[in-house]
Structure formats: structure tokens, C-alpha cells
Amino acid sequence: MAGLFEPARHGGASLTLDAVEASILRSLTVQMLELLGPEDEPDEDADPLARLFAEGPSKPPADPALARLFPDAYGEGDDAAEHSAEFRRYTENDLRTRKRDDALALVRGIDGGSSGRKGRVVLHLKAEDCRHWLGALNDLRLTLGTRLDVSDDPEEAEALYRLPDEDPRKPLMMAYLWLGGLQETLLDVLMGN
């Protein structure tokens, strides 16, 4: 079946996408990379130790999708905002780099896939690639879920699942559900189910 992960013969996972699926997945990932923004280029003359301990932002992102990808580390409480700012300052740059690396691995995987029958893209992922793909798929779902305002409320979720075809959110919802299927089947492969 096209569009779902399967165990690969020599470990890792394989995935066969039709041309439209590959294009959609690549496009969504490139859009997420644009949302994440470019990586800060370190000053070549800077002290390597100083670059290692460079401080990141201390305020949460204004964009709701980015705020979901980079949530506050501490919940409610007297000192929560201060602790969250300090935690963010020392972790967000590395987390952002990891998310970029995951997304780039997904794009490179699609671009490097072999051509199969009927224009399909056949991918064979090693275990390390699977971890990158799993991270990128999770980030894509979090981003789309935020844009769609997916919540834990069963009635609201049911309404999103039953969007009429003319609703402009319908393609995003279909992509959200498909990404969930990809994520679930990749997890199954990695767990040996």
C-alpha cells in the first residue's frame, strides 16, 4: 500500500509514496523549515566555547505553531515564567537545530528516493533516518494541529473529521490524518510490531 511504512529487509523502514504524496510531504516540510527560520550562522572569529554556550531567546514565540513546537518548560506558578525564560534561553537553539535537521533529513530522503512503478517514490530508511523522520512527522502534525485548532474535546475533534469538502481546512485536516498514519506505521516498524 502506498503511503505507509513497512519494515525493511535489512532493518530500518521502507515507504512507497505516489508522486502527489511525495510532493505534499515535501512541500509541508519545506513550509515547516521556513517557519523554523534559518539557522544562525556563527561568527567564524568567535570563541568555539562561547558559540557552544550562546544564549537563545528568552520569550516564547508569538506564532502559535512555533509556541507549540517550543513550549514553556514550566507550567503555572509564581516563578514559572522566569524559569521558563531561563530554560528556553539555554535550550531553544539546540532544539531548533534538531528540528531543522529532522526536517532536512525528510526532504533529503524524498529527494533521494528511487523511482518506482507508476511514478512512485520508493524510500529505504536506515534506523537513524527513521528517528529523524519520526521527529519531523511529529513536528508537522503539531504544526498542522495548531493551525487547525485541534483540541482534546471529542465534539470539536469530531467536527474537524467531518468537515465538508468546500471547507478550506479540509485539505489540511486530510494531511493531518495522513501524517498521523505515517507516524503510527513508522512507530510500529521501529517497535517491531
Side-chain angles (χ1 to χ4, degrees), residues 31 46 50 60 71-72 91 142 153 156 190:
Q31 289 176 53
D72 281 338
T91 60
L142 288 172
D153 182 337
E156 288 180 22
L190 292 175

Side-chain angles (χ1 to χ4, degrees), residues 29-46:
T29 306
V30 167
Q31 289 176 53
M32 188 177 67
L33 280 164
E34 291 171 359
L35 178 67
L36 290 170
E39 187 166 6
D40 292 335
E41 293 294 324
D43 184 8
E44 290 182 25
D45 297 332

